[in-house]
Amino acid sequence: MIKTRKQLNERKEKARKVLRSLKRLIPNAEMALRYANNWELLVSVILSAQCTDKKVNEVTQKLFKKYKTLDDYVNADSKEFEKNIYSTGFYRNKTKNILASAKIVKETFGGKVPNTMEEILTLPGVSRKTANVVLGNAYGVVEGIAVDTHVIRLSRLLGLSNEKDPKKIEQDLMLILPKKEWFMFTYYMIEYGRKYCPARRHDHAKCPVRH
């Protein structure tokens, strides 16, 4: 938690330098998940919890051909759906959340994925991280910063936050980053983590943004 004006100013300056380096290193950072519409985006993001984007894309390539409409999810057999997404992990919970969300989207929101933070958070399995990703990519609505495992790890490593809780890290980042940078910051951090500073043990002194 940022406690003093001095600490805030120091973090803002650090964030400015980190962001400048990330933009130089990864000018073409973007969402890795593949989808054709807002509902498929939501499904992909829910599936991505504790799973790699690469694996999710492998699963959804078949899944989206089998379940083509929202009604296909509303009427889906849960056991069969579990088998379809098994390799993404936590398949029972993800199945329950996705199929329940399909019914809510149809019955409460007229078949459209909600476009506000308050409404989208009413869907089962939708955290602030999921909400930020979906709202930003689907509607250009930016109300926060999507904090995934890469953002958690690298924000702490680079001294942008000392917190461990994703919500508190998001609050810290929102204080020190200009709002116009919130949406892309997540994707810069994800790509940086993948290409330059992975979670596995390595020499951080060689990481290009570390200094």
Side-chain angles (χ1 to χ4, degrees):
M1 188 73 70
I2 297 173
K3 296 179 180 180
T4 65
R5 173 69 62 178
K6 181 182 178 183
Q7 190 178 34
L8 176 63
N9 290 335
E10 288 174 349
R11 292 264 183 96
K12 279 185 175 181
E13 178 61 18
K14 186 175 288 188
R16 187 183 66 79
K17 292 178 179 178
V18 166
L19 191 59
R20 185 177 61 194
S21 296
L22 291 174
K23 285 181 175 182
R24 187 179 68 249
L25 284 168
I26 316 152
N28 300 313
E30 61 182 0
M31 155 79 83
L33 296 173
R34 293 194 285 270
Y35 57 93
N37 54 59
N38 294 345
W39 170 251
E40 289 186 357
L41 168 61
L42 176 60
V43 171
S44 295
V45 180
I46 292 175
L47 290 177
S48 71
Q50 304 297 312
C51 183
T52 65
D53 290 347
K54 181 180 179 182
K55 173 55 69 176
V56 171
N57 285 335
E58 289 173 5
V59 169
T60 55
Q61 186 175 16
K62 297 178 181 177
L63 189 75
F64 293 159
K65 288 179 181 178
K66 183 173 182 177
Y67 301 89
K68 297 180 180 179
T69 68
L70 182 64
D71 280 339
D72 289 337
Y73 292 84
V74 171
N75 300 317
D77 176 79
S78 60
K79 292 298 180 185
E80 186 177 349
F81 197 86
E82 285 177 4
K83 292 177 183 177
N84 296 148
I85 67 165
Y86 178 83
S87 59
T88 67
F90 301 95
Y91 60 95
R92 288 195 182 94
N93 219 33
K94 290 178 181 179
T95 293
K96 182 177 72 173
N97 290 334
I98 289 170
L99 301 189
S101 289
K103 292 178 180 177
I104 295 172
V105 167
K106 180 180 180 179
E107 295 168 5
T108 305
F109 299 109
K112 294 183 178 180
V113 174
N115 61 2
T116 69
M117 180 65 75
E118 183 180 11
E119 290 178 330
I120 201 169
L121 286 176
T122 65
L123 300 179
V126 174
S127 62
R128 273 195 65 92
K129 173 221 152 186
T130 300
N132 280 320
V133 172
V134 175
L135 291 175
N137 284 281
Y139 301 111
V141 173
V142 180
E143 293 193 27
I145 298 170
V147 177
D148 75 339
T149 53
H150 289 283
V151 178
I152 292 171
R153 178 175 63 86
L154 294 172
S155 293
R156 289 169 53 79
L157 183 67
L158 296 172
L160 302 180
S161 178
N162 296 324
E163 301 292 343
K164 295 181 180 179
D165 179 78
K167 290 182 180 178
K168 292 182 179 179
I169 291 174
E170 183 185 7
Q171 290 169 2
D172 279 350
L173 294 176
M174 287 166 69
L175 282 174
I176 62 177
L177 289 165
K179 188 172 183 179
K180 65 180 182 179
E181 306 288 359
W182 289 0
F183 176 69
M184 282 304 301
F185 183 75
T186 299
Y187 300 107
Y188 290 132
M189 292 286 261
I190 290 171
E191 288 299 310
Y192 178 69
R194 287 174 178 160
K195 293 181 179 179
Y196 298 100
C197 186
R200 65 178 179 274
R201 192 178 184 88
H202 66 283
D203 183 4
H204 286 293
K206 295 180 179 179
C207 295
V209 181
R210 186 73 174 106
H211 65 279

